[in-house]
Amino acid sequence: MTDASMTAENQSSETQAHKTRVLSGMRPTGRLHLGHYRGVLMNWAKLQNEYDSYFMVADWHALTTSYDEVGGIKNAGYEMVIDWLASGIDPDKSAIFLQSQVVEHAELHLLLSMVTPLGWLERVPTYKEQQEKLSHKDLTTYGFLGYPLLQAVDILVYKAGLVPVGADQVPHIEFSREIARRFNHMYGRDPRFMADVEAGLALLDADDQKRLNNLGKRYREQGEAEALDKALKLVRARRQLSEAQRSALEAQVHGTGRQILPEPQALLTAASKMPGLDGQKMSKSYGNTIALREKPADVETKIKKMPTDPARVRRTDPGNPDNCPVWQLHEIYSGEDVKAWVRQGCTSAGIGCIECKMPVVEAVNAELKPIQERAAEYERDPELVKRVLKNGCERARAVTADTMADVRAAMGLDY
Ligand code: TRP
Ligand code: SF4
């Protein structure tokens, strides 16, 4: 586990007190599938009960690669939001919004571009990877190079503390932290910050002042983690300090400036790899998905067509569930009794594959039923989705307006 990544378990208890802000986003890809549901959306739906949550349709990020085919983005965004809502993302708890409707993202992107070294962008692993993967496209653009900066902005403009993402996005979160650090270092050592540091120190007794100075020095010069720990504990335990003084002293110990843009952390969810219809990870690019709004009859057809253990050529051939993608779905959807029935029936040729698949068909359809019922409400009334987004955008803007006031002031743009 790196410094930038934590699991849900070890984060929640300590951060609950100040209602940490959570932000995540997805590029609009249209209809979502069970892989999204089990891998991402169930987690978001849980997080929204604990954190101040913001979930964003990254439509500008879609443009970085699809700038030559912009036609489908708007609709894909609406459809994706329907799937979020249907999956239990609750608009009363979470702000659900469109990136392009919160124009402060663009302003901060421009301002941070001033201090973003080209080399940092070129070194983000996804940059070369995606260019190679999408080699039929010309991705030697300014916008595509800026993808990680735009993502950093999405996070920093909300001062989000936690960003739930998959492992593939961790380099982007690390990049966001580096940008925040650089920004704070450059613009956070303003007179206001130094005044807070001094006022804070003045409130400590002489012993504390001396200890804090020593501990800070040991951390900054020798990198002693224990010294940092002790210094932060000291600062946090002194109730006489105001919030601003406390955070200024913490920043001083770290050797950074005022935390105008706090460094976010990735919130890595235990990778739930939802298997697809062919046993590989469920993914649109493999064509092995079950969509959240797949009709029950189509779910049945798709599962009935699934390949099984190749050893079971005839009904009378015994098989081995470990060589069968259907078994992977049983592992997710079936209880111990059904799983025992499968193992016994498969290895003894006591059951046929179609018979074996039926409990999976039923379990998947049972899982999808409430999702599809909720989706139907939004499909019937598109105004409902628009209202959710309008409200979400307003909530988002309330936060970004504050951040931008800080940022403009820090950069001397507070006319
Ligand atoms: N790059 C992310 C992805 O491809 C999407 C994204 C855009 C995002 N902005 C974000 C994720 C901010 C988390 C936070 O999945
Ligand atoms: Fe797979 Fe079930 Fe057929 Fe065994 S009986 S091969 S587990 S589908």
Side-chain angles (χ1 to χ4, degrees), residues 184-210:
N184 295 332
H185 189 76
M186 279 188 155
Y187 303 112
R189 314 186 131 269
D190 53 5
R192 207 173 104 202
F193 171 77
M194 296 318 288
D196 283 338
V197 170
E198 264 153 43
L201 281 174
L203 288 177
L204 300 180
D205 63 38
D207 264 5
D208 276 353
Q209 287 184 16
K210 220 160 110 195

Side-chain angles (χ1 to χ4, degrees), residues 303 306-312 317-328 330 341-343 345-347 349 351-357:
I303 292 176
M306 280 179 71
T308 60
D309 177 0
R312 293 205 76 180
D317 296 331
N320 177 358
D322 296 333
N323 301 330
C324 177
V326 179
W327 173 250
Q328 295 188 39
H330 275 298
W341 170 77
V342 171
R343 282 221 157 261
C346 181
T347 51
I351 59 171
C353 288
I354 293 289
E355 206 180 340
C356 175
K357 288 171 172 177

Side-chain angles (χ1 to χ4, degrees), residues 30-37 41 83 87 274 276-277 282-284 287-296 298-300 302-303 333 364-365 367-369 371-372 375:
R31 301 281 174 116
L32 303 184
H33 52 65
L34 275 171
H36 295 114
Y37 179 65
L41 296 172
D83 282 335
S87 299
M274 176 70 194
L277 293 163
M282 188 177 282
S283 160
K284 201 163 143 189
N288 63 359
T289 62
I290 296 175
L292 292 180
R293 284 182 267 167
E294 198 89 52
K295 289 197 187 69
D298 294 341
V299 170
E300 181 165 347
K302 280 188 168 180
I303 292 176
Y333 286 101
V364 169
N365 277 332
E367 176 162 62
L368 293 180
K369 188 161 181 267
I371 297 176
Q372 298 187 350

Side-chain angles (χ1 to χ4, degrees), residues 64-84:
T64 64
T65 53
S66 301
Y67 56 84
D68 55 348
E69 37 182 357
V70 299
I73 295 177
K74 182 161 90 183
N75 196 50
Y78 286 139
E79 292 299 333
M80 189 168 79
V81 169
I82 291 180
D83 282 335
W84 289 1

Side-chain angles (χ1 to χ4, degrees), residues 88-395:
I89 310 302
D90 179 346
D92 291 330
K93 295 178 183 160
S94 303
I96 301 172
F97 67 97
L98 296 156
Q99 185 184 34
S100 66
Q101 299 306 296
V102 184
V103 75
E104 283 83 358
H105 289 236
E107 184 184 354
L108 187 57
H109 184 246
L110 178 118
L111 292 177
L112 293 184
S113 78
M114 307 299 170
V115 300
T116 303
L118 276 180
W120 289 17
L121 289 166
E122 287 159 350
R123 272 205 313 273
V124 175
T126 44
Y127 179 58
K128 290 254 154 56
E129 274 165 30
Q130 288 293 308
Q131 278 186 340
E132 278 160 24
K133 203 167 143 205
L134 304 173
S135 59
H136 56 288
K137 298 213 162 169
D138 180 1
L139 293 182
T140 57
T141 57
Y142 181 49
F144 184 69
L145 179 65
Y147 187 112
L149 183 61
L150 186 56
Q151 181 162 349
V153 164
D154 297 338
I155 299 164
L156 299 178
V157 80
Y158 298 92
K159 303 189 179 182
L162 294 172
V163 188
V165 284
D168 63 315
Q169 293 294 312
V170 168
H172 288 157
I173 310 305
E174 193 49 50
F175 177 84
S176 308
R177 291 164 61 84
E178 280 163 12
I179 293 291
R181 216 172 295 145
R182 186 169 168 91
F183 182 90
N184 295 332
H185 189 76
M186 279 188 155
Y187 303 112
R189 314 186 131 269
D190 53 5
R192 207 173 104 202
F193 171 77
M194 296 318 288
D196 283 338
V197 170
E198 264 153 43
L201 281 174
L203 288 177
L204 300 180
D205 63 38
D207 264 5
D208 276 353
Q209 287 184 16
K210 220 160 110 195
R211 270 187 70 213
L212 193 62
N213 273 334
N214 277 332
L215 291 168
K217 223 166 142 193
R218 271 166 55 198
Y219 170 68
R220 289 189 305 274
E221 289 168 14
Q222 259 83 251
E224 282 180 48
E226 205 196 309
L228 173 65
D229 210 51
K230 283 189 181 150
L232 295 181
K233 279 211 181 95
L234 189 159
V235 171
R236 282 169 197 166
R238 298 298 175 268
R239 298 281 153 213
Q240 68 269 38
L241 300 172
S242 74
E243 179 68 22
Q245 291 160 349
R246 192 185 48 71
S247 85
L249 285 177
E250 283 183 20
Q252 181 77 351
V253 169
H254 277 103
T256 60
R258 190 156 56 89
Q259 300 297 291
I260 304 168
L261 299 175
E263 289 177 36
Q265 289 191 320
L267 183 60
L268 274 182
T269 31
S272 120
K273 276 189 226 103
M274 176 70 194
L277 293 163
D278 55 0
Q280 299 186 80
K281 177 177 184 249
M282 188 177 282
S283 160
K284 201 163 143 189
S285 56
Y286 297 146
N288 63 359
T289 62
I290 296 175
L292 292 180
R293 284 182 267 167
E294 198 89 52
K295 289 197 187 69
D298 294 341
V299 170
E300 181 165 347
T301 310
K302 280 188 168 180
I303 292 176
K304 280 185 173 165
K305 276 199 204 142
M306 280 179 71
T308 60
D309 177 0
R312 293 205 76 180
V313 182
R314 279 172 296 265
R315 164 71 177 75
T316 49
D317 296 331
N320 177 358
D322 296 333
N323 301 330
C324 177
V326 179
W327 173 250
Q328 295 188 39
L329 293 180
H330 275 298
E331 293 248 64
I332 291 180
Y333 286 101
S334 299
E336 290 311 318
D337 47 340
V338 174
K339 286 199 282 190
W341 170 77
V342 171
R343 282 221 157 261
Q344 156 67 21
C346 181
T347 51
S348 65
I351 59 171
C353 288
I354 293 289
E355 206 180 340
C356 175
K357 288 171 172 177
M358 289 321 286
V360 174
V361 172
E362 272 159 37
V364 169
N365 277 332
E367 176 162 62
L368 293 180
K369 188 161 181 267
I371 297 176
Q372 298 187 350
E373 282 167 1
R374 275 192 297 264
E377 286 171 41
Y378 291 103
E379 286 169 345
R380 270 196 300 275
D381 187 358
E383 286 308 311
L384 222 51
V385 179
K386 292 196 177 156
R387 223 175 302 146
V388 164
L389 285 168
K390 185 164 173 281
N391 180 264
C393 289
E394 274 163 20
R395 281 170 66 184

